[in-house]
Amino acid sequence: MSDALTVGAPGRSGGHGPGSDPFALLGLPRGMSMAPHVLDEAYRGLQARVHPDRYADKTDAERRVAMQWATAANEAYRTLRKPLLRAKYLIESAGVGLGEQDNTAMPAEFLMQQMEWREHVAEARAHRDDKALRHIEHAIRSAEVELWPLLESRIAEADWPHAADVWRRLRFLEKLHDDIEDVRSALLD
Amino acid sequence: MALLQIFEPGQSTVPHQHRRAIGIDLGTTHSLVATVRNSIATVLPDEHGRVLLPSVVRYGAEGVKSVGVEAAARQAEDPRNTLASFKRFMGRGLADVTRTHQGDLPYEFADAPGMVQIRTVAGVKSPVEVSAEVLRVLRQRAEASLGGELTGAVITVPAYFDDAQRQATKDAAQLAGLNVLRLLNEPTAAAIAYGLDNAAEGVYAVYDLGGGTFDISILRLTKGVFEVLATGGDSALGGDDFDRRIACWAIEAGQLPPLGPRDLRALQVEAREVKEALSSRDRARFHVRLQSGEPVDLTLDTATLESLGANLVAKTLKPCRQALRDAGVDITDIQGVVLVGGSTRMPMVRAAVAEFFGQAPLTNLDPDQVVALGAARQAHLLAGNRSGDDWLLLDVIPLSLGIETMGGLVEKIVPRNATLPIARAQEFTTFKDGQTAMRVHVLQGERERVEDCRSLAHFELRGIPPLPAGAARIKVTFEVDADGLLAVTAREESTGVSAQVAVKPSYGLADDDIARMLRDAFDHARDDLDARALAEAQVDADRLVDAVRAALAADGESLLSDAERSAIEARIVALVAARAGSDRSAIREATDALSTATDEFAARRMDASIRSALAGRSIESI
Ligand SMILES: Nc1ncnc2c1ncn2[C@@H]1O[C@H](COP(=O)(O)OP(=O)(O)OP(=O)(O)O)[C@@H](O)[C@H]1O
Ligand SMILES: [Mg+2]
């Protein structure tokens, strides 16, 4: 049976049920700037109104509706909680694709740096060297600190193609962070 | 019944009537039931004042002989027919059970499609039926104590239970005649009890090591919201494993000959007693008389116990690390560590937890009762007993869900630790030219290969239009509800051909099985309830008609077309006519018909009500 399936286009997730705009659903202004506690409170406030547990003694039909809203609330929160996902949503909903797999648009210099970091991570893993890992993390963080204001201003200016370029670079760095964490867990277990 | 409250979304229509609701902790070794009385959660004892019901069922030729203390006391006497720790078999196949237990269980297993079964003198029993016996005893205890029929129950499950195990638990509860308000994760239940009692705020870890399962959950508690950030665990790791190690130690240290099932059970029972004694002493005597008459007389000290159990304790720490990482919190963010489960009484466990989290765990609660107490509070809330200090619970799915793709790999669709409820879809396409059917294999687990994940269901989507390979667009949607239970639908987008599966077939019982067991269970219990049933049907019919009429008067104009409206009115007329007679089933049928006919209307009213509540929100928050 396994030959019956091939994976199609990468994950198109199910649309938001009640309205598809996470900002609107959570009652928040559209944009990058958002204090975490404001988002958290908006999310909890929304769930407090729509969660099916609030309607546990109601009919199936009503609970189905509540469940659609609660599902949409979770999806909206997930989309907005991490700044990189929030930026992704803003860029994509402006009609610009991020082509995560495609790195041809990256400057060669940036790609070289990536490769170098990756090699360092592999070495640190081989030598079980947590200090080296911390060193790389520090370097990545400095790179991120430079890129974030750039991403935010591109988005604020609605310069979507350039925003997408910066976004792709930040996404690269995020993946590196994940790899480092994986190495760290592997060293501990 | 739920029908009656339809028409005032968001408000309880029966304000002051207390609804009897219970929380049940269905444990590997012990089970118990609790309820909320006069706003206080309390456990309910049996007629001898005992709260904990050993999860042990003893069968005789006639059927169930005893459940609980008596059954537990006679385990070694008739090990094949005295079933214990059967929670470990819930939703598990024979292969799983024999792999994790390697023949140290005295039962005679029978393979069955889906779930392993156990051969007893009373016939072949599924773990679902055995669990239902325990639940039935607790239901009766609660009914006797609360003086009447129950509105519903919250049943707890290990947070790390997968879909098959959850479904099996829900089936067991239904089989025991319980209306399941919710399956609640055990550590979450503990957090509710702890959080409400201590007005706790911040990020907490709940470390739950019971008889057969281990869970770790990381939660954030904020003003009336319990938000699970991540969970992890091992659904086959608990106190039983320590017992087994001690029994093995005794076999070696005592140089015992090969033993039969009675002796093995006797060793495990003694192992458990010795282990528990060593939580408050340095050494304890291990004494058993074998069937042969030969005595086994040994001494176990804490140092030896610690070396026997060290890697079991270590096995709990890896899920702790993973859960912290998934939750995105640092160990220093943890405000407190709540200990749950009898096995956390072991000093070696406490020491390991304290060292890992860098703080002494909280021990000001009873690790045996806290889960049931939390479940009781949630049940009280879900049954509609509003008290003004309502809370909201947001839990997560413990294990990723996905489907099989090329080369025996699993494509994840719902990631672990996503907040429930959740719906996710993924598009797939056909592999061959003209392919008209597609098999979908649903799996749960973190590993990449199909054989390393749990198979939940297979189904086939037929009638795909014959197109070149890669041209069909098949959207597979996973929906997981607040109980953590999955429903899957698949749809070919260009034609709309769709298939729906309740994820039961390959694990858990088929609906037919449940229906049969329910019939068996109730056949002899069908008393002369007919008169009462008729009166109830009439009352329900009257209430529904009143509610629908009121709803039509309020929103019929704005939310329904003329045709929809007259369809509903026709059903009202039919119900009123049936109500005038004394045919109970005709009244029920007409009631159901009206209820079904108003489903869409109820949904629209609900949607409108949420929208207006949210519109109010933006005004408030400006
Ligand atoms: N004082 C003690 N010292 C050590 N272990 C103990 C002590 N008291 C109880 N236990 C162990 O705790 C386990 C039972 O714990 P508990 O009742 O919390 O589990 P359970 O709820 O039945 O199981 P689970 O939650 O895994 O389904 C048994 O293995 C028992 O031996
Ligand atoms: Mg337990």
Side-chain angles (χ1 to χ4, degrees):
Chain A
M1 74 138 289
S2 56
D3 65 357
L5 282 176
T6 54
V7 179
R12 270 217 308 138
S13 56
H16 310 277
S20 63
D21 179 348
F23 293 100
L25 186 59
L26 287 158
L28 294 169
R30 201 178 171 86
M32 278 307 288
S33 72
M34 182 178 292
H37 77 271
V38 172
L39 174 64
D40 291 350
E41 275 166 29
Y43 166 68
R44 292 187 198 119
L46 176 60
Q47 281 293 17
R49 284 164 206 262
V50 304
H51 196 277
D53 282 0
R54 288 280 185 252
Y55 307 97
D57 54 349
K58 300 291 186 287
T59 59
D60 289 350
E62 286 163 301
R63 276 182 295 145
R64 229 174 12 251
V65 171
M67 177 149 137
Q68 283 162 6
W69 282 84
T71 301
N74 284 332
E75 193 60 30
Y77 186 48
R78 192 189 70 89
T79 305
L80 299 190
R81 188 168 37 174
K82 288 197 186 148
L84 210 55
L85 284 178
R86 195 187 309 152
K88 179 180 194 230
Y89 173 80
L90 287 168
I91 297 168
E92 285 184 335
S93 62
V96 174
L98 286 168
E100 281 189 57
Q101 319 300 339
D102 159 34
N103 53 21
T104 47
M106 299 268 181
E109 186 196 338
F110 181 79
L111 290 173
M112 290 295 287
Q113 174 71 81
Q114 287 296 306
M115 256 150 56
E116 201 178 300
W117 275 332
R118 264 176 212 290
E119 278 160 22
H120 288 329
V121 172
E123 269 168 44
R125 171 177 202 143
H127 295 110
R128 308 180 66 85
D129 184 352
D130 194 53
K131 205 169 149 206
L133 284 180
R134 280 206 299 273
H135 198 75
I136 307 164
E137 270 179 322
H138 189 77
I140 298 171
R141 216 157 274 141
S142 318
E144 286 174 326
V145 167
E146 274 180 36
L147 288 171
W148 269 110
L150 203 58
L151 177 61
E152 280 167 16
S153 59
R154 294 286 182 257
I155 290 176
E157 293 153 12
D159 177 356
W160 305 113
H162 285 108
D165 285 346
V166 184
W167 187 90
R168 275 191 288 266
R169 281 193 252 171
L170 279 163
R171 174 71 185 125
F172 250 104
L173 299 177
E174 184 182 69
K175 280 190 195 144
L176 256 177
H177 271 304
D178 288 347
D179 290 349
I180 292 173
E181 276 303 312
D182 286 344
V183 170
R184 202 163 267 147
S185 318
L187 292 186
L188 280 169
D189 293 335
Chain B
M1 62 188 279
L3 282 183
L4 309 177
Q5 282 85 42
I6 314 177
F7 287 96
E8 288 313 320
Q11 289 166 26
S12 188
T13 44
V14 193
H16 297 301
Q17 184 187 324
H18 176 81
R19 307 211 181 101
R20 297 182 198 93
I22 56 171
I24 292 181
D25 175 0
L26 180 62
T28 309
T29 32
H30 298 119
S31 298
L32 63 156
V33 57
T35 193
V36 173
R37 254 199 290 231
N38 309 321
S39 327
I40 294 167
T42 44
V43 293
L44 301 175
D46 67 6
E47 70 271 21
H48 303 291
R50 297 178 299 216
V51 169
L52 299 182
L53 177 74
S55 306
V56 183
V57 177
R58 181 166 185 229
Y59 287 97
E62 316 287 278
V64 175
K65 246 189 182 153
S66 60
V67 176
V69 176
E70 202 213 71
R74 313 191 49 177
Q75 295 183 64
E77 217 171 279
D78 187 11
R80 268 184 211 291
N81 298 307
T82 313
L83 309 184
S85 293
F86 40 81
K87 182 171 168 180
R88 288 190 150 190
F89 314 146
M90 293 289 268
R92 289 282 170 262
L94 180 61
D96 295 308
V97 170
T98 42
R99 190 171 48 242
T100 40
H101 290 276
Q102 290 148 6
D104 59 357
L105 289 167
Y107 309 125
E108 208 182 305
F109 290 109
D111 204 0
M115 212 182 306
V116 67
Q117 312 219 326
I118 307 153
R119 247 184 263 283
T120 72
V121 276
V124 176
K125 299 290 168 190
S126 115
V128 170
E129 288 174 272
V130 187
S131 301
E133 297 301 342
V134 171
L135 291 168
R136 194 170 293 130
V137 169
L138 293 174
R139 188 196 93 200
Q140 285 158 357
R141 184 192 288 185
E143 282 171 352
S145 165
L146 301 179
E149 233 176 275
L150 305 172
T151 303
V154 166
I155 316 288
T156 63
V157 288
Y160 211 59
F161 256 20
D162 64 27
D163 191 78
Q165 295 169 304
R166 285 170 197 269
Q167 191 62 59
T169 307
K170 193 166 184 179
D171 289 347
Q174 279 164 353
L175 193 55
L178 289 163
N179 170 33
V180 181
L181 297 168
R182 165 62 45 83
L183 296 178
L184 181 61
N185 291 328
E186 289 163 12
T188 309
I192 290 173
Y194 177 81
L196 293 176
D197 286 350
N198 296 278
E201 299 244 323
V203 179
Y204 283 78
V206 180
Y207 178 105
D208 179 352
L209 188 63
T213 57
F214 169 65
D215 282 330
I216 175 76
S217 287
I218 313 290
L219 296 99
R220 183 182 305 147
L221 280 49
T222 5
K223 284 171 284 175
V225 182
F226 294 83
E227 194 179 351
V228 180
L229 303 176
T231 194
D234 186 334
S235 59
L237 174 64
D240 284 2
D241 299 289
F242 290 81
D243 303 350
R244 226 149 349 160
R245 299 250 164 129
I246 296 170
C248 289
W249 162 85
I251 291 173
E252 265 178 39
Q255 299 183 323
L256 306 183
L259 301 172
R262 290 188 186 194
D263 285 336
L264 279 179
R265 184 69 83 89
L267 287 188
Q268 279 174 16
V269 169
E270 179 67 3
R272 180 166 151 194
E273 272 170 31
V274 166
K275 172 194 72 180
E276 292 176 9
L278 287 178
S279 290
S280 49
R281 270 189 279 147
D282 288 341
R283 42 184 43 237
R285 187 168 165 225
F286 187 105
H287 183 85
V288 172
R289 187 170 294 279
L290 299 178
Q291 294 293 309
S292 61
E294 194 191 329
V296 179
D297 206 347
L298 301 161
T299 302
L300 184 65
D301 59 26
T302 46
T304 310
L305 175 61
E306 278 167 24
S307 70
L308 290 172
N311 73 344
L312 294 175
V313 177
K315 252 174 111 172
T316 66
L317 299 180
K318 187 176 171 181
C320 291
R321 268 194 294 276
Q322 184 65 52
L324 284 168
R325 184 179 166 189
D326 287 355
V329 302
D330 207 72
I331 227 163
T332 52
D333 297 334
I334 303 286
Q335 189 98 13
V337 183
V338 177
L339 291 185
V340 185
S343 299
T344 60
R345 291 207 176 89
M346 280 193 272
M348 65 188 295
V349 171
R350 291 195 174 183
V353 172
E355 194 196 323
F356 179 83
F357 287 98
Q359 61 179 297
L362 301 160
T363 49
N364 59 335
L365 30 77
D366 183 338
D368 289 332
Q369 297 191 356
V370 63
V371 168
L373 293 172
R377 302 189 77 150
Q378 190 67 19
H380 185 73
L381 183 70
L382 291 179
N385 296 308
R386 295 281 150 75
S387 54
D389 60 344
D390 296 358
W391 60 90
L392 177 70
L393 180 60
L394 299 164
D395 217 318
V396 300
I397 180 160
L399 292 151
S400 305
L401 291 164
I403 72 178
E404 177 171 353
T405 65
M406 288 225 293
L409 296 180
V410 180
E411 168 88 3
K412 300 227 166 85
I413 297 185
V414 176
R416 71 163 181 269
N417 288 321
T419 306
L420 300 175
I422 186 169
R424 280 290 166 82
Q426 178 95 304
E427 256 183 33
F428 295 88
T429 188
T430 44
F431 180 66
K432 291 181 188 137
D433 285 341
Q435 184 179 335
T436 56
M438 191 176 89
R439 290 252 286 155
V440 178
H441 185 194
V442 183
L443 297 125
Q444 187 161 30
E446 305 314 313
R447 308 277 295 277
E448 290 189 345
R449 304 203 53 84
V450 165
E451 61 268 25
D452 298 324
C453 290
R454 177 149 305 275
S455 167
L456 294 177
H458 289 272
F459 67 96
E460 195 167 49
L461 183 65
R462 283 194 212 86
I464 299 171
L467 293 168
R473 290 190 300 126
I474 295 138
K475 187 169 165 189
V476 178
T477 305
F478 280 26
E479 276 182 288
V480 186
D481 65 15
D483 288 333
L485 292 175
L486 170 69
V488 184
T489 46
R491 193 179 140 90
E492 202 289 308
E493 295 284 274
S494 61
T495 53
V497 169
S498 68
Q500 188 154 23
V501 263
V503 183
K504 272 188 162 186
S506 69
Y507 272 90
L509 299 166
D511 275 339
D512 290 353
D513 289 338
I514 294 274
R516 175 186 54 77
M517 290 181 193
L518 274 176
R519 261 199 317 276
D520 293 352
F522 287 122
D523 255 359
H524 27 115
R526 192 184 299 130
D527 320 351
D528 45 352
L529 290 173
D530 279 358
R532 198 175 125 204
L534 175 62
E536 274 175 11
Q538 288 170 334
V539 171
D540 288 347
D542 290 346
R543 287 208 205 148
L544 183 62
V545 168
D546 288 350
V548 175
R549 281 186 176 142
L552 282 175
D555 293 322
E557 200 82 30
S558 56
L559 295 178
L560 294 173
S561 69
D562 287 347
E564 287 167 334
R565 197 182 166 128
S566 45
I568 292 175
E569 274 158 359
R571 300 280 185 209
I572 297 181
V573 173
L575 177 54
V576 171
R579 162 72 176 84
S582 59
D583 179 348
R584 175 170 56 99
S585 61
I587 299 176
R588 280 276 172 239
E589 262 167 43
T591 305
D592 289 348
L594 175 57
S595 173
T596 310
T598 54
D599 253 18
E600 176 59 26
F601 182 33
R604 283 184 209 164
R605 292 194 86 212
M606 179 72 178
D607 204 66
S609 139
I610 287 179
R611 279 176 201 284
S612 77
L614 293 183
R617 168 198 64 178
S618 9
I619 294 164
E620 279 165 30
S621 61
I622 287 167

